[in-house]
Amino acid sequence: MAYDVELADRVRELLAAERGVEAKPMFGGLAFLINGNMSVAVSSRGGLMVRLPPADAERLLARPHVEPMIMAGRQTRGWLRVATGGLKTRRQLAAWVARGIDFAKGLPPK
């Protein structure tokens, strides 16, 4: 399954004012990197993968439409998957994208 092009366009729009943004095909989806660090990715399985501080994950998992990100049968620490139901409005999407951006900006550039 290909990634959701409309969702990718919405993410691009939110990232338009950011410096150092690069969109790259990864894992069958489209990842958005900030200074070479992944921040969010539009998933080929639907929804958005969001990179964040691992300590925040437990609290955010209690929200609707949020689940752990599983790759190769293992939970990926510091990443969450947000289903499309939790990304319907600009405000919902912007909040998740901001989390990913903030985390990626705090990492050393690659």
Side-chain angles (χ1 to χ4, degrees):
M1 174 169 123
Y3 64 86
D4 181 340
V5 175
E6 182 182 327
L7 179 57
D9 288 342
R10 291 173 61 209
V11 172
R12 267 192 200 93
E13 183 181 314
L14 290 168
L15 293 172
E18 293 291 330
R19 292 178 183 235
V21 175
E22 178 184 5
K24 228 181 201 182
M26 291 180 143
F27 314 114
L30 186 64
F32 292 89
L33 292 79
I34 307 287
N35 301 320
N37 293 296
M38 285 182 63
S39 61
V40 296
V42 178
S43 175
S44 62
R45 291 182 34 210
L48 191 71
M49 298 183 300
V50 181
R51 191 170 187 188
L52 47 91
D56 293 355
E58 194 64 38
R59 174 179 52 85
L60 294 170
L61 280 169
R63 293 186 175 196
H65 309 289
V66 179
E67 60 187 41
M69 190 172 108
I70 308 292
M71 287 192 80
R74 294 178 48 186
Q75 185 171 334
T76 307
R77 186 169 155 78
W79 285 89
L80 293 177
R81 178 179 297 282
V82 183
T84 54
L87 305 168
K88 289 181 180 178
T89 68
R90 179 180 176 90
R91 185 177 181 179
Q92 288 173 315
L93 178 60
W96 288 110
V97 170
R99 280 186 179 87
I101 289 170
D102 290 345
F103 186 76
K105 280 182 173 179
L107 299 171
K110 289 186 176 180

